[in-house]
Amino acid sequence: MRSIKQWPVSVWVCLALFVVCLIAVPRFGTASNFLNLGKVAAVLILVAIGQGAVIVIRGLDFSIGSGVAIFSVATVLCVPSLGIVPAFGIGMLAVLLLGLVNGALIGFLKLPAFLVTLGTMIAVHGFCSVIVGGAPLEAPTGIDLSGLANSQMLGLPSIVWLAIAACLIGLVVMQFTTFGRECYLIGSNPDAARLVGIPVPLRIMQAYLINAVLVALAGAILTSRLGSGQPNLYPELPFEAIAACAIGGIPLSGGQGGPVHAVIGVFILSMFVNALVLLNFPSYLQNILLGALIVGSVLVQRWGMRWAAANRRNVATVAENIATNNATSGAL
């Protein structure tokens, strides 16, 4: 168990923001607002955890938005002939295929993650537009896709439980399995990982497949919520996921962070946007403040990491001096 001093800086930022919102923002502390906040954050938590796993291995995924788009289009196209559950399965297979292509190109062909996922994002959005003629495709009359989005369990929306389960499973996989430890080593030093026999290309592809599973779950929630297939569904989703990871304390250089950092980043982002909406800030001002929050959070964490590193160096120096003095005294 980590001591409080070892908690990420983002935890303190999150707690401070929560207290400020409780005090300064009307209706923020109501049960209905917390419920709405949880439902909105659930989708971003899923994709941020996946994006975090990819960033740990020094990757990046801009194709998340096109992933949820192809899920919704494939599902709505297939639902009249196959039924709801098989159609959702087809949607998931489409997203897994996208993750497989990304992972193979980046892991085995060693192409830049930025360019590969940017290319697949554009291509898949275009492919979805061709299939549905550029306009949203509504689910046929009489077919209700809203079961997942509207269902509840133990007093909470099912999608919130889904986000909680994804966080716990992601935490176990990244912290307590050989796969997770190898991902951190790949992110820290890919050459050293190869030298000790870790199959780096395979692990990279597996990380993108895990990300694809979480993107597919987010796509299922959005499709269930909207009841239609949309070729340009949630285009800003990859940028919000990357921002959440950066705010939560996952460095884009890889090798550090995890699901908890991603979730903290989502909480900060979601609370901030929710507070601005409740305060009736105009949208242009929301964007300015959101950008300032992202940059400010990264700066605070960078200073926090430097402060922690300086403290560790000071502690090491003091310990070394004490050891030297003890050795000198013993010799005398």
Side-chain angles (χ1 to χ4, degrees):
M1 180 67 74
R2 285 185 167 189
S3 70
I4 291 179
K5 288 183 179 178
Q6 293 176 309
W7 287 7
V9 178
S10 55
V11 172
W12 301 111
V13 174
C14 186
L15 291 174
L17 180 63
F18 179 74
V19 173
V20 169
C21 289
L22 273 180
I23 296 171
V25 181
R27 304 188 306 280
F28 178 83
T30 62
S32 61
N33 187 55
F34 284 148
L35 191 62
N36 180 56
L37 199 56
K39 291 167 73 173
V40 171
V43 170
L44 190 52
I45 285 175
L46 289 170
V47 296
I49 292 172
Q51 185 74 263
V54 167
I55 291 175
V56 163
I57 55 152
R58 296 193 179 188
L60 207 59
D61 190 358
F62 284 106
S63 66
I64 287 174
S66 60
V68 296
I70 198 172
F71 186 101
S72 70
V73 168
T75 300
V76 175
L77 277 175
C78 294
V79 75
S81 55
L82 299 179
I84 294 176
V85 174
F88 271 69
I90 295 295
M92 174 163 280
L93 287 177
V95 182
L96 287 177
L97 179 61
L98 175 61
L100 185 67
V101 170
N102 284 335
L105 292 175
I106 296 165
F108 289 96
L109 297 185
K110 298 181 174 55
L111 299 181
F114 173 82
L115 293 177
V116 168
T117 57
L118 187 64
T120 53
M121 177 190 76
I122 296 170
V124 171
H125 273 309
F127 179 68
C128 292
S129 295
V130 169
I131 292 176
V132 299
L137 179 67
E138 298 296 329
T141 305
I143 295 180
D144 183 13
L145 299 177
S146 64
L148 175 62
N150 294 333
S151 63
Q152 290 202 351
M153 189 170 66
L154 301 175
L156 286 177
S158 299
I159 59 175
V160 173
W161 287 114
L162 193 60
I164 293 172
C167 181
L168 294 176
I169 294 172
L171 186 64
V172 170
V173 170
M174 295 304 291
Q175 298 293 332
F176 302 107
T177 67
T178 302
F179 169 80
R181 288 190 287 272
E182 290 180 349
C183 284
Y184 283 111
L185 181 55
I186 291 170
S188 301
N189 193 330
D191 293 332
R194 289 189 188 91
L195 289 174
V196 297
I198 294 174
V200 175
L202 179 63
R203 293 291 177 265
I204 290 174
M205 192 175 72
Q206 289 171 335
Y208 275 91
L209 281 174
I210 289 173
N211 176 49
V213 170
L214 293 166
V215 172
L217 292 176
I221 294 172
L222 292 171
T223 305
S224 175
R225 187 178 290 167
L226 298 172
S228 62
Q230 303 201 13
N232 291 307
L233 178 61
Y234 216 153
E236 65 273 21
L237 188 57
F239 307 104
E240 291 184 4
I242 294 170
C245 290
I247 291 172
I250 303 178
L252 296 183
S253 54
Q256 297 179 52
V260 173
H261 295 81
V263 172
I264 292 170
V266 172
F267 282 158
I268 294 174
L269 204 58
S270 301
M271 279 194 295
F272 190 73
V273 173
N274 180 253
L276 295 180
V277 171
L278 290 175
L279 291 171
N280 292 321
F281 276 50
S283 59
Y284 67 87
L285 194 53
Q286 291 182 26
N287 290 334
I288 293 173
L289 293 174
L290 190 57
L293 170 72
I294 293 170
V295 176
S297 297
V298 173
L299 283 174
V300 168
Q301 287 176 47
R302 178 64 61 88
W303 290 335
M305 290 170 67
R306 287 181 177 176
W307 178 80
N311 267 353
R312 284 196 294 272
R313 284 196 297 270
N314 290 336
V315 170
T317 303
V318 170
E320 187 178 349
N321 290 338
I322 292 174
T324 304
N325 291 335
N326 289 340
T328 304
S329 301
L332 293 175

